[in-house]
């Protein structure tokens, strides 16, 4: 979107209207905000998945430690 080709009104000489994102700074800021929001949402989903995986890993290790403790105490 920052490449000058996207902001060249000469590309729209065939009678069609020049898209708003070519000339409207507020519109461009909005596009960047939507892209950033999408990236943040994807990162949030990734972090949630990583957190769930980590919690599962910790729970498994806790179970193994409890099992080892009971076996070492002879109370299995």
């Amino acid at each position: 979107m920052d490449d000058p080709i996207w902001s060249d009104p000469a590309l729209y000489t065939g009678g069609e209207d020049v898209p708003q994102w070519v000339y409207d700074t507020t519109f461009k800021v909005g596009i960047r905000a939507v892209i950033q929001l999408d990236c943040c949402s994807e990162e949030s989903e990734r972090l949630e998945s990583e957190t769930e995986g980590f919690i599962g890993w910790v729970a498994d290790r806790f179970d193994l430690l409890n099992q080892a403790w009971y076996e070492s105490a002879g109370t299995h």
Side-chain angles (χ1 to χ4, degrees):
M1 189 173 122
D2 292 328
D3 194 303
I5 190 70
W6 295 110
S7 300
D8 187 358
L11 293 173
Y12 305 95
T13 58
E16 67 271 12
D17 291 334
V18 176
Q20 189 174 359
W21 53 265
V22 172
Y23 60 86
D24 188 338
T25 305
T26 303
F27 202 83
K28 289 180 183 184
V29 169
I31 291 172
R32 286 187 179 96
V34 168
I35 291 170
Q36 187 173 16
L37 179 62
D38 287 346
C39 289
C40 289
S41 295
E42 290 172 6
E43 183 68 8
S44 179
E45 289 174 16
R46 187 190 69 77
L47 289 172
E48 185 177 332
S49 176
E50 291 287 332
T51 300
E52 289 173 3
F54 178 70
I55 289 170
W57 180 84
V58 169
D60 289 344
R61 295 306 176 266
F62 184 76
D63 289 344
L64 289 172
L65 285 171
N66 273 335
Q67 180 182 357
W69 184 70
Y70 284 123
E71 287 177 4
S72 70
T75 58
H76 55 103

